[in-house]
Amino acid sequence: MTEEVDLAEAMRIVAHDDPNPYEAVVPPIVQTSLFTFKSYQDMEETYRGLKVRPTYSRGLNPTVRIFEEKLAELERAEDALGFASGMAAISSTVLTFVEPGDRIVCVRHVYPDAYRLFEGLMKRLKVEVTYVDGRDLDQVAAALPGARLFYMESPTSWVMETHDVSTLAALAREHGAVSVIDNSWASPIFQTPVALGCDLVLHSASKYLGGHSDVVAGVVAGSRELIGRIRSGALPYLGGKLSPFDAWLLIRGLRTLPIRMKAHEVAALDIARRLAAHPAVASVQHPRLVGNALPKGLSGTSGLFSFTFKEGIDIPAFADALTVFSLGVSWGGHESLAVPGRVVRAQAAGPNPALAFGIDENSVRLHVGLEGADLLWRDLEAAIGAGLGDRDR
Ligand SMILES: *Cc1c(COP(=O)(O)O)cnc(C)c1O
């Protein structure tokens, strides 16, 4: 299952567009809310479902569709749907498949706002959520009977716990639960969960798919049947549709996704290894530095990981001394970012934040951008020195 990334194939998918009216190398932004009809008959046939064509951009828009088709092909899925944010993709997907009295099984340490959705709105709608350690197959198997939906990330946000995605997807299928995975971290360049047996794969397209920190968007991909249910059951009424301009930015972002992912991988691994060898660092949470091999189906690693300092570092002083890394949430763009764990812990609200987040007081999450590992390491080394009070100098 661990096939090598086929960069050439990925580049073909992201570069190719159907011919557009002007044979422009960049597809047009069809920036319109509605589409008109030539005749009554044309209009009636469209509304009766006899033909498919755009009528209103909350439903179908040609620029959005180009993005959706590219993403579906990259994810080896039959179809995809674009959303106004990753959270719109998550909430619309979950709300399509669960109803009051249902239960969701979710791996621990998921993206904090997905967790807050489960603990807030979903609880109010009488949907229960059971959190499991996704690495413990017995625990997952014990939680699954009766569950409607199985929700996972691999690796998980912040603590980077990786999962055997194909085995978990098979377990969910055995118990009749729809399996959903958030694949924002790996991107389809390094992991294609539908090919591993997951029913649905979703993304915060605000991260690697966009890649330039200039768009907030989301997407979900899967079989024509399941995507059809989200398209007709939740998307039109929750209304979080991807806009034509944002879709256009995503198409542009996708053009370089394969080579950006490779560059993030190389630089982040270099930084992670240097951190692991630094005397001030207690541990590094990077999937390549934990365990011997990447889990089945994960063929590469991206630019996001976290590490934990030993006691004694002044984290605010470390953070303020960074000059190439900026302090900021989100990730997936060209720029390098750092987030001290304690600021996220301070924000964390919810009945049991520790369960879902697992964020250590002395940890820092890094997104390694495209500035080059040597420059970034000099920045980190100097900032660690500042955090230690430059004792050696
Ligand atoms: C950012 C993020 C989301 C949410 O996406 P938005 O586009 O910000 O709504 C979901 N999952 C993961 C893993 C994320 O990092």
Side-chain angles (χ1 to χ4, degrees):
M1 265 315 197
T2 38
E3 60 242 15
E4 266 302 289
V5 199
D6 188 344
L7 269 188
E9 172 63 3
M11 286 308 289
R12 181 193 65 74
I13 296 168
V14 298
H16 175 265
D17 297 322
D18 285 337
N20 56 62
Y22 306 104
E23 295 187 34
V25 68
V26 175
I29 310 172
V30 184
Q31 188 70 35
T32 186
S33 59
L34 69 106
F35 300 81
T36 57
F37 298 90
K38 289 217 163 18
S39 67
Y40 172 87
Q41 190 189 349
D42 190 19
M43 190 171 195
E44 202 211 49
E45 282 174 358
T46 304
Y47 274 82
R48 278 153 62 96
L50 299 177
K51 56 166 111 161
V52 178
R53 48 148 285 178
T55 61
Y56 188 58
S57 285
R58 175 150 51 82
L60 181 60
N61 174 281
T63 312
V64 173
R65 195 61 198 147
I66 292 173
F67 165 70
E68 290 171 342
E69 284 174 354
K70 268 190 206 300
L71 198 280
E73 197 176 353
L74 282 172
E75 281 289 4
R76 305 200 208 168
E78 286 176 357
D79 202 358
L81 262 184
F83 288 86
S85 70
M87 281 312 301
I90 293 170
S91 55
S92 297
T93 299
V94 170
L95 285 165
T96 298
F97 296 99
V98 297
E99 44 190 87
D102 279 350
R103 199 162 53 82
I104 295 171
V105 174
C106 177
V107 301
R108 63 183 188 177
H109 310 318
V110 289
Y111 178 67
D113 278 345
Y115 171 71
R116 292 187 188 101
L117 168 71
F118 293 150
E119 292 302 304
L121 182 60
M122 298 319 294
K123 286 237 156 109
R124 275 173 44 214
L125 297 178
K126 305 277 180 275
V127 174
E128 285 300 316
V129 184
T130 311
Y131 299 95
V132 291
D133 179 344
R135 300 166 305 178
D136 182 344
L137 296 179
D138 293 338
Q139 205 185 109
V140 178
L144 273 173
R148 180 73 53 153
L149 194 134
F150 178 63
Y151 188 92
M152 65 179 137
E153 295 175 5
S154 184
T156 51
S157 294
W158 207 285
V159 291
M160 305 284 142
E161 280 176 4
T162 55
H163 297 119
D164 179 344
V165 172
S166 54
T167 301
L168 290 177
L171 266 180
R173 179 150 307 180
E174 228 172 81
H175 289 92
V178 175
S179 55
V180 178
I181 182 168
D182 182 332
N183 199 30
S184 308
W185 184 90
S187 91
I189 303 305
F190 292 144
Q191 183 167 256
T192 47
V194 169
L196 297 171
C198 286
D199 293 315
L200 291 163
V201 51
L202 53 82
H203 288 269
S204 169
S206 324
K207 311 293 166 51
Y208 287 126
L209 302 185
H212 296 74
S213 306
D214 52 9
V215 60
V216 171
V219 66
V220 58
S223 69
R224 218 163 267 125
E225 198 246 319
L226 293 182
I227 294 297
R229 282 175 63 185
I230 303 170
R231 181 184 280 118
S232 61
L235 175 63
Y237 317 116
L238 297 176
K241 182 71 184 180
L242 179 61
S243 79
F245 182 64
D246 287 345
W248 182 85
L249 286 171
L250 293 176
I251 294 163
R252 187 186 60 157
L254 284 184
R255 306 281 197 202
T256 55
L257 179 69
I259 55 172
R260 281 190 286 109
M261 294 311 294
K262 272 295 184 191
H264 287 299
E265 174 176 44
V266 170
L269 191 53
D270 187 341
I271 297 289
R273 287 195 170 124
R274 294 200 221 190
L275 279 169
H278 196 287
V281 171
S283 61
V284 178
Q285 289 75 50
H286 182 292
R288 280 235 195 252
L289 302 192
V290 185
N292 298 325
L294 293 180
K296 203 164 50 163
L298 184 65
S299 62
T301 55
S302 69
L304 188 77
F305 66 94
S306 62
F307 68 96
T308 307
F309 279 118
K310 291 178 185 162
E311 291 300 330
I313 185 113
D314 179 341
I315 288 194
F318 160 78
D320 285 338
L322 292 167
T323 59
V324 184
F325 281 88
S326 301
L327 299 180
V329 292
S330 195
W331 44 272
H334 49 85
E335 77 285 17
S336 291
L337 295 166
V339 185
R342 60 184 64 188
V343 302
V344 180
R345 282 171 59 110
Q347 179 214 19
N352 193 353
L355 174 73
F357 303 160
I359 297 173
D360 191 280
E361 187 72 14
N362 286 321
S363 67
V364 175
R365 190 186 72 183
L366 296 181
H367 179 251
V368 175
L370 302 173
E371 300 93 337
D374 288 336
L375 176 69
L376 292 169
W377 178 247
R378 282 199 295 280
D379 192 36
L380 281 172
E381 236 185 350
I384 294 171
L388 295 172
D390 282 322
R391 275 176 215 148
D392 304 336
R393 283 170 215 195

